[in-house]
């Protein structure tokens, strides 16, 4: 029998996870508004794509948990397994557009958007794989 992780009761509420996602989004919006100057560190090829993937991987976990705990979604497609990656694809597009308005930032990069989407997709799949161990009382749809 798989070992089940015991989490506090507040973590079984959509409002908790959706609030965490809102903080994630506001942090993304802030980070998209500031310019990053040249770094004097070790150069890693495509580090920005790795950062996009990781950030959206985390955002997908928060949003997937929030949507999972909605007891009566006002819009039933929010329960669809691809809802999280599609919503985050739209967030990524908004982020790229937002960056294009700030000096010293480059926006509208399709590779950044692809990294966002792949991160969101993988994050959603990981959430769905871990969900039975973390929240065993809820079925995976």
């Amino acid at each position: 029998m798989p070992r089940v992780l015991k989490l506090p009761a507040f973590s079984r509420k959509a409002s908790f996870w959706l609030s965490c996602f809102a903080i994630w989004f506001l942090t993304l919006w802030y980070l998209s508004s500031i310019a990053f100057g040249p770094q004097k560190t070790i150069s890693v090829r495509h580090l920005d794509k790795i950062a996009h993937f990781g950030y959206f991987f985390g955002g997908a976990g928060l949003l997937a948990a929030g949507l999972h705990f909605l007891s009566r979604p006002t819009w039933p497609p929010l329960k669809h397994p691809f809802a999280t990656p599609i919503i985050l694809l739209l967030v990524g597009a908004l982020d790229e557009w937002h960056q294009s308005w700030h000096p010293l930032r480059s926006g509208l990069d399709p590779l950044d958007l692809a990294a966002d989407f792949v991160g969101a997709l993988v994050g959603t799949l990981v959430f769905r794989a871990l969900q039975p161990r973390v929240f065993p009382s809820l079925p995976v749809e």
Side-chain angles (χ1 to χ4, degrees):
M1 179 161 208
R3 188 170 179 196
V4 175
L5 182 63
K6 303 276 186 196
L7 293 177
F10 68 83
S11 69
R12 294 178 181 268
K13 297 186 182 301
S15 59
F16 171 74
W17 294 105
L18 294 175
S19 295
C20 290
F21 179 74
I23 292 168
W24 175 92
F25 179 82
L26 292 172
T27 303
L28 175 69
W29 196 259
Y30 170 74
L31 291 173
S32 294
S33 302
I34 60 176
F36 294 98
Q39 304 295 316
K40 299 201 188 298
T41 60
I42 297 172
S43 178
V44 177
R45 258 185 95 163
H46 306 297
L47 181 62
D48 65 320
K49 306 308 180 251
I50 296 167
H52 277 263
F53 175 92
Y55 198 78
F56 276 73
F57 177 92
L62 298 173
L63 182 58
L67 295 180
H68 185 75
F69 283 109
L70 285 176
S71 57
R72 289 186 207 103
T74 55
W75 193 46
L78 289 178
K79 288 287 197 177
H80 192 278
F82 290 110
T84 297
I86 290 169
I87 291 168
L88 286 173
L89 177 63
L90 296 173
V91 169
L94 177 64
D95 174 51
E96 289 300 313
W97 174 81
H98 178 242
Q99 285 181 40
S100 73
W101 289 94
H102 291 278
L104 305 175
R105 292 303 306 255
S106 62
L108 307 175
D109 183 348
L111 294 178
D112 283 353
L113 190 57
D116 296 345
F117 180 71
V118 173
L121 186 61
V122 173
T124 301
L125 293 173
V126 168
F127 171 80
R128 292 179 63 76
L130 294 177
Q131 182 271 324
R133 288 182 166 216
V134 179
F135 306 110
S137 62
L138 297 171
V140 174
E141 297 173 4

